[in-house]
Amino acid sequence: MTPDPLTREELRRYSRPLLVPEWLEAGAQERLRAARVLVVGAGGLGGPVLLHLAGSGVGRLVIADGDTVDLSNLHRQTHFSTADVGRSKAEAAAERVRAVNPWVEVETAPALGEATAAALVANTDLVIDATDNFGTRYLIADTCTAQGREWVWGAASGTTGLVSVFGPALGLRDVFAAATDDHSCAEAGVLGPVAAVVGHMMALEALKVLGGVGKPLRGQLWTFDGLTAGVRTLKLRPEKKATSARL
């Protein structure tokens, strides 16, 4: 089906990305408008993802997060304000998304769990894993693999970050078969800008996948060291499975 042409208002709103030749030639803006994306986690990683996907013009966002905003979140989750403390993260994030771009359809969902994962992942074009615990990460991985979905994955802890694009051919369990160091930000700590860098990189990868432009990090692991500003991109091979992972 040929997508409807962009309206005059859309051409004005998205005029800057439409000046990027690769984006324009791929019809990426129209692809993005037609996309449905599930973002699991509306915190330090999910916030930048949500705001950039909304600003870029994704058609529909589903935000799954069962947590509430805590005062300790605000140093890195800058899409929330002090007035949001105690509110549902999903609802507060949805409000921000609507403020950024009222043309984006937004819905909220409770935390992704065993009983809800399959339904939440179904009928999505892309899943974003912006969570901070391995239990949920592996549940997302197993559900996406079972349904043949791709997902953008990211992790930030302390001063380091990781990003990849996984899919049925190469998933999280192929790279990190098990985890022995399952620490959330509440336990391991994280510097706010590190989470922001990783979240923004995840948003960029999502735009590349959805827009059909560039070379997403399929089969690759992007790593970031906040103390040295060092960046590396490692090639992943499924036959070299790790027995444990420390993130």
Side-chain angles (χ1 to χ4, degrees), residues 79-239:
H79 50 299
F80 300 131
S81 70
T82 303
D84 290 320
V85 172
R87 294 184 64 193
S88 158
K89 284 188 178 180
E91 293 294 341
E95 187 176 285
R96 284 285 290 121
V97 165
R98 295 184 185 104
V100 169
N101 192 343
W103 294 346
V104 176
E105 294 183 30
V106 190
E107 64 179 86
T108 60
L112 182 142
E114 293 284 354
T116 62
L120 284 172
V121 170
N123 302 316
T124 60
D125 297 292
L126 185 66
V127 177
I128 313 291
D129 177 0
T131 62
D132 67 352
N133 68 85
F134 270 94
T136 306
R137 287 173 182 167
Y138 284 124
L139 177 57
I140 293 170
D142 293 342
T143 306
C144 287
T145 299
Q147 296 192 17
R149 308 287 178 188
E150 278 195 315
W151 71 102
V152 175
W153 176 91
S157 180
T159 60
T160 62
L162 306 171
V163 177
S164 189
V165 176
F166 290 126
L170 180 66
L172 180 64
R173 289 191 184 274
D174 295 313
V175 182
F176 301 108
T180 58
D181 190 10
D182 183 11
H183 289 162
S184 67
C185 291
E187 299 166 307
V190 64
L191 294 184
V194 173
V197 168
V198 174
H200 285 102
M201 188 65 180
M202 293 170 68
L204 178 59
E205 289 303 303
L207 291 179
K208 287 158 61 180
V209 172
L210 294 167
V213 300
K215 295 181 178 179
L217 287 167
R218 298 182 178 104
Q220 300 179 85
L221 182 68
W222 180 88
T223 71
F224 172 68
D225 182 339
L227 293 183
T228 65
V231 174
R232 297 178 66 195
T233 301
L234 310 175
K235 186 174 179 60
L236 300 175
R237 298 183 184 278
E239 65 270 21

